[in-house]
Amino acid sequence: MKIIGTGSSLPKKVVTNDMLSTFLDTSDEWIVTRTGISSRKVISDERLEDLAVDAARKAIEDAGITLDEIDIIICSNVVNEFVTPGLSCVIQRDLGTKVPTMDLNAACAGFIYGLDFAHGYSMVHKDVRNILLVCAEEPTRMMNWADRNVCVLFGDGAAAVVLDCTDKENDCIKEVKLSGVPAVESLYYKRNLEPTPFITKEKEPVPITMNGRDIFRMATRAAFADITAVFEKAGITAEDIDYFLLHQANIRIIESIQNHFGISPEKFLHNIEHLGNTSSASVPILMDEMNRCGRLKKGQKLIMSAFGAGFVSGAAYVVWDK
Ligand code: ACO
């Protein structure tokens, strides 16, 4: 399996740190120093499914294939306006195709999980030609916008990749390591369900609740462990890698992983400055930016790593072959 096309789509509304400080007790200086984020793009009048479909169309075009060559759509998503059907079904409707679809929720690690499950699916179903993996996220709809601890961190966006499964001799997904530890209380969001005549539980709608320090600690630990496991399985070292595409949650997390492996900062790509944390879309948005500006070259060795609520994490070693 190999990545043959990428696409992304972002909301038009840019929200700067200074804009946040008009209604929150925060400052550009605090946010930049603690997170590396200067601005983020936030959904206003757009629908998430429109961003997802736009990203998907761009990825299909970049792959040089047609829609009818896609055999399954997988969508990674944490929250969107539909509880059911899955966002992948809505994407299929709007693209105008008829294939199996499924959603997966591995929080911000969804792209790595999606890649690994697509890889496994392609090995079992040998007649599958291309898989469309879309990551579409609007985390800003889960925030309490009066909570400065959380709402400054996130932005919205969508990205997609086309995975070609036809070249069985040349598999570019070299190694993947997925991990999980139970830590639900460190980061969660509970949705509002309808009352029933039988419900006696107290209603407890809670905007996203996060223990930032716990997440920071678990994120750095998990990323070191996942990436190290991938290196060991593949028989390579950090020196062999051309670029690291890590989940864009906090520049300090990225820097601590870079320091841990003792690798030059130029190898650690980032766009967190202008997008913030776009959940599972962050790694494929970054990949699409790098693909489109010509920075990714055939044969380059990439490490992708992401983590999210759960606590779940994963890393993938991929050779760029496009
Ligand atoms: N502006 C100003 N002050 C703030 C802000 C803000 N936006 N947010 C918090 N503070 C205050 C706190 O209230 C605290 O004040 P106090 O000392 O008076 O109590 C002070 O700043 C320091 O807070 P800390 O929690 O120590 O700050 P820290 O350096 O840990 O940075 C942060 C906080 C940015 C949240 C960091 O812990 C972090 O990035 N954690 C990881 C979060 C993350 O990645 N979440 C998502 C991952 S999973 C996924 O992607 C879905």
Side-chain angles (χ1 to χ4, degrees):
M1 192 173 89
K2 59 186 181 187
I3 299 170
I4 58 164
T6 70
S8 61
S9 188
L10 297 163
K12 59 185 173 305
K13 177 90 185 161
V14 176
V15 176
T16 64
N17 293 344
D18 286 337
M19 288 161 79
L20 294 178
S21 64
T22 62
F23 60 90
L24 281 175
D25 180 15
T26 190
S27 65
D28 180 56
E29 196 268 333
W30 192 97
I31 302 172
V32 170
T33 312
R34 301 290 178 120
T35 71
I37 302 166
S38 295
S39 63
R40 70 285 293 140
K41 292 195 166 183
V42 173
I43 278 188
S44 52
D45 60 357
E46 298 96 345
R47 301 183 314 167
L48 184 62
E49 55 265 40
D50 293 339
L51 298 183
V53 167
D54 185 37
R57 288 206 177 104
K58 287 173 179 164
I60 292 168
E61 188 186 354
D62 186 46
I65 63 163
T66 54
L67 182 59
D68 58 16
E69 292 172 85
I70 298 288
D71 290 327
I72 181 167
I73 300 172
I74 301 174
C75 178
S76 159
N77 170 258
V78 174
V79 72
N80 73 89
E81 287 176 17
F82 286 88
V83 171
T84 193
L87 191 57
S88 56
C89 300
V90 183
I91 293 169
Q92 149 151 262
R93 178 197 68 188
D94 294 352
L95 279 175
T97 182
K98 283 184 188 169
V99 290
T101 71
M102 65 163 279
D103 279 27
L104 72 86
N105 180 350
C108 304
F111 180 67
I112 311 291
Y113 278 68
L115 205 57
D116 196 36
F117 278 77
H119 194 215
Y121 185 86
S122 75
M123 288 173 176
V124 175
H125 300 277
K126 302 221 184 294
D127 55 339
V128 167
R129 296 163 299 167
N130 296 287
I131 299 175
L132 178 64
L133 171 60
V134 186
C135 299
E137 303 282 12
E138 47 184 340
T140 64
R141 305 297 302 280
M142 297 188 285
M143 308 295 125
N144 170 2
W145 281 83
D147 180 359
R148 66 179 184 172
N149 288 290
V150 182
C151 72
V152 303
L153 303 175
F154 291 90
D156 304 318
V161 294
V162 173
L163 302 164
D164 174 358
C165 312
T166 56
D167 186 356
K168 308 289 182 208
E169 306 302 305
N170 195 8
D171 190 356
C172 295
I173 315 296
K174 298 297 182 191
E175 292 293 348
V176 178
K177 167 71 178 161
L178 305 181
S179 310
V181 289
V184 174
E185 281 67 32
S186 297
L187 177 56
Y188 65 93
Y189 170 70
K190 289 193 176 182
R191 65 163 60 96
N192 229 335
L193 297 178
E194 302 300 323
T196 78
F198 314 105
I199 279 290
T200 54
K201 289 186 291 186
E202 246 177 67
K203 203 170 170 183
E204 44 165 349
V206 187
I208 205 164
T209 299
M210 181 185 77
N211 182 328
R213 286 185 189 177
D214 271 4
I215 295 288
F216 197 102
R217 214 174 299 119
M218 287 190 286
T220 45
R221 211 174 279 160
F224 300 150
D226 292 339
I227 296 172
T228 303
V230 161
F231 285 161
E232 284 172 7
K233 286 207 279 180
I236 55 169
T237 70
E239 297 292 336
D240 297 315
I241 300 302
D242 293 291
Y243 290 119
F244 291 76
L245 289 82
L246 307 184
H247 177 39
Q248 305 289 296
N250 187 321
I251 196 74
R252 290 188 294 137
I253 296 177
I254 296 171
E255 286 166 355
S256 94
I257 293 159
Q258 173 218 318
N259 290 335
H260 174 87
F261 288 112
I263 295 296
S264 91
E266 294 74 48
K267 289 193 170 186
F268 284 73
L269 305 175
H270 49 87
N271 58 12
I272 189 171
E273 301 75 12
H274 61 274
L275 296 184
N277 178 347
T278 56
S279 190
S280 73
S282 87
V283 171
I285 290 174
L286 183 61
M287 187 195 297
D288 183 50
E289 273 184 25
M290 297 305 148
N291 175 29
R292 281 172 196 271
C293 74
R295 203 145 166 206
L296 297 181
K297 306 258 188 297
K298 197 175 172 85
Q300 281 176 340
K301 299 184 173 86
L302 311 177
I303 287 287
M304 298 164 203
S305 160
F307 57 85
F311 185 86
V312 292
S313 66
Y317 166 37
V318 173
V319 173
W320 191 251
D321 187 10
K322 177 175 151 42

